[in-house]
Amino acid sequence: MFKGVNIKQFLKVAMVICFAVFMLTGCGDDKDSQQNGAFADDSSTVADSHRECWQSGMIDLLYENMGKVAMGMYTRITDGALPLMMIAFALWTVFRLLKFVGSFTEDSPAEIWNEIVRKLFVCLICGLIASSTTQLLWLLNTIVFPIYYAFLELGAAILTSANGEEAFKTGKTAIGVFGESINNSRPLMCSAPAVGKASIENLSFPDGPRTMMDCMICAVNERLTLGYKLSFESMKLPGFMPILIGLFLLICFTFVKLGFVFYLVDSIFRFTMMVTILPVLVMSYAFKQTESWAKTGFKTIINSAALMMFIAVMIAMALLAMEQILSDNSGIFNNGMSFTELSVPFMCLILVGFLILSSIKLAQQVTNSLVGGNSDSAFARRAATLAATIAKGAFKGAWGLISRKKG
């Protein structure tokens, strides 16, 4: 009887169903449930609880500690950078001369010595930069962090322009859905402060990027509130199908909300690792065999900043599409009777759920294509896979229950 049962899948579905049951039973007290149904709570009040930008505190803590680690390592790494560089140059010179002596097709001795002198100059410059904390800080504060900050500032500017400022000014800040008025958005302005400077004395990264990251995280969190409102409004309707759709939207938006944090944590960690080994990347630039290391490190730094920007932009675009669907079809979404079967509102909300789910993956692809590098990581990928598996199991389990009920 139980031979074909997938135990893991069954446990996943059971866990999600238990979560849904506990969540739904806590939506209101018994008196309200008897009078107004199981979902009598005001959906705006419940959804507004998700406005709290708890992610920024986590990112602030990570950013601060990563700055302490990176700046604290510089003094130790730079101590032996110049001697190591000279040893590497000596070995390169030995192999270059052996290649010249053992070959009949090499250039003239004068050209060989010119090449050795040029290599000595490059190695000396790279060694001096890698062995000086002052030069490394100049490189960070002049090139690395301004470029990193530029991507964050651009992403914040796009989020601000996509946040419904014009609608807020004209007073059109509400969307009618299922007979309820859902607040469209609240105005957000991400002002760009001064970049600041990294400091070895204070063991800290500049404050500018952290401020912009906080703004982007809170802006995305603010935009996702509309999805939670739509989910709770759907679950207030009578019947099992609205509950299923509301639960599906709740899982999708929760996945994106948590997934955004996972990718930000991974992005900050990759950026910090590249900043920490910056002396090694500078020294590796001097030799053709290791030059790709420096290029990979620079691409990783740019990729980590661009990924934050593109994730925020893709999520904003997906939510704008959702708002447009709701606004253009307000008559359909206010007809609760057509929501009980496979109707236009049903398919539209399923589309919105998959649209918001695909935004993070699309942001990765765009970042890798336009900027270079690799934004994928085992940590973020496994976290996303776990959330997607739970959502898929919940949807399959609920759909199976509906099929058996109809049969």
Side-chain angles (χ1 to χ4, degrees):
M1 177 178 178
F2 298 98
K3 188 175 180 180
V5 176
N6 189 334
I7 301 299
K8 292 183 178 180
Q9 190 70 18
F10 175 80
L11 292 177
K12 291 175 183 177
V13 174
M15 180 178 65
V16 174
I17 292 176
C18 289
F19 165 78
V21 170
F22 290 137
M23 178 192 67
L24 297 178
T25 55
C27 288
D29 54 23
D30 294 337
K31 183 178 179 180
D32 291 337
S33 298
Q34 293 175 0
Q35 293 178 354
N36 302 321
F39 305 101
D41 277 3
D42 185 6
S43 63
S44 298
T45 304
V46 178
D48 281 338
S49 63
H50 293 274
R51 288 185 185 272
E52 182 181 356
C53 191
W54 55 267
Q55 300 95 327
S56 62
M58 181 187 302
I59 297 301
D60 287 345
L61 183 61
L62 177 66
Y63 186 83
E64 181 179 354
N65 284 278
M66 290 293 101
K68 291 180 180 179
V69 171
M71 295 295 99
M73 291 290 293
Y74 268 15
T75 304
R76 302 177 183 178
I77 296 177
T78 56
D79 287 341
L82 186 57
L84 179 62
M85 200 69 199
M86 292 300 98
I87 293 174
F89 169 74
L91 292 175
W92 178 88
T93 304
V94 169
F95 283 105
R96 187 67 184 89
L97 290 177
L98 288 175
K99 182 180 178 181
F100 169 72
V101 172
S103 177
F104 294 100
T105 59
E106 283 285 349
D107 297 330
S108 63
E111 294 179 350
I112 296 300
W113 286 110
N114 285 336
E115 181 182 353
I116 293 176
V117 171
R118 289 196 299 267
K119 184 65 66 175
L120 174 62
F121 177 76
V122 173
C123 290
L124 184 61
I125 295 298
C126 292
L128 290 175
I129 294 176
S131 62
S132 173
T133 55
T134 303
Q135 296 298 326
L136 289 174
L137 285 178
W138 178 87
L139 188 63
L140 286 174
N141 295 323
T142 306
I143 299 177
V144 175
F145 278 109
I147 295 177
Y148 191 82
Y149 186 74
F151 279 99
L152 297 178
E153 186 176 356
L154 177 60
I158 295 175
L159 281 176
T160 301
S161 62
N163 195 59
E165 296 293 331
E166 293 299 326
F168 184 83
K169 292 178 181 178
T170 57
K172 299 178 181 179
T173 58
I175 300 176
V177 180
F178 307 138
E180 298 288 340
S181 179
I182 297 180
N183 189 22
N184 181 9
S185 62
R186 294 191 300 187
L188 287 176
M189 292 299 295
C190 295
S191 59
V195 180
K197 293 184 178 181
S199 173
I200 293 181
E201 291 78 9
N202 298 327
L203 298 179
S204 62
F205 282 161
D207 292 332
R210 178 173 59 182
T211 303
M212 295 306 297
M213 280 190 289
D214 288 345
C215 181
M216 289 178 62
I217 293 171
C218 293
V220 171
N221 190 76
E222 171 73 18
R223 301 291 294 172
L224 290 174
T225 306
L226 179 60
Y228 286 103
K229 289 183 176 180
L230 184 61
S231 171
F232 290 119
E233 286 291 346
S234 173
M235 288 190 287
K236 286 173 59 178
L237 296 177
F240 186 74
M241 185 67 71
I243 298 176
L244 172 63
I245 297 176
L247 183 60
F248 172 72
L249 289 177
L250 181 64
I251 293 174
C252 290
F253 278 85
T254 302
F255 164 72
V256 172
K257 189 174 184 177
L258 297 179
F260 187 38
V261 178
F262 291 145
Y263 280 98
L264 284 182
V265 170
D266 178 74
S267 177
I268 295 174
F269 181 77
R270 289 188 293 118
F271 171 77
T272 304
M273 291 300 101
M274 294 303 103
V275 171
T276 303
I277 64 172
L278 184 61
V280 179
L281 298 179
V282 171
M283 290 188 291
S284 66
Y285 181 76
F287 303 100
K288 184 178 181 181
Q289 293 79 2
T290 58
E291 184 181 2
S292 60
W293 299 358
K295 294 180 180 179
T296 301
F298 183 75
K299 286 182 179 179
T300 302
I301 292 174
I302 301 301
N303 186 282
S304 63
L307 179 63
M308 296 185 190
M309 180 189 74
F310 282 119
I311 287 180
V313 170
M314 294 302 171
I315 292 177
M317 291 176 62
L319 292 173
L320 283 176
M322 181 183 70
E323 292 179 7
Q324 194 65 39
I325 291 174
L326 297 177
S327 299
D328 294 343
N329 301 277
S330 59
I332 297 177
F333 281 97
N334 284 316
N335 185 3
M337 298 301 295
S338 64
F339 199 64
T340 58
E341 300 295 338
L342 293 177
S343 57
V344 174
F346 178 88
M347 301 307 298
C348 285
L349 292 182
I350 295 296
L351 172 64
V352 167
F354 284 109
L355 185 65
I356 195 69
L357 278 178
S358 62
S359 59
I360 294 182
K361 189 64 177 179
L362 180 60
Q364 283 186 282
Q365 296 174 353
V366 172
T367 303
N368 296 339
S369 300
L370 298 182
V371 180
N374 185 14
S375 60
D376 197 11
S377 68
F379 170 72
R381 186 172 60 252
R382 289 173 183 173
T385 302
L386 175 62
T389 302
I390 293 175
K392 183 179 179 181
F395 187 74
K396 282 186 176 180
W399 188 262
L401 292 174
I402 297 174
S403 300
R404 286 194 295 269
K405 185 177 179 180
K406 289 184 176 180

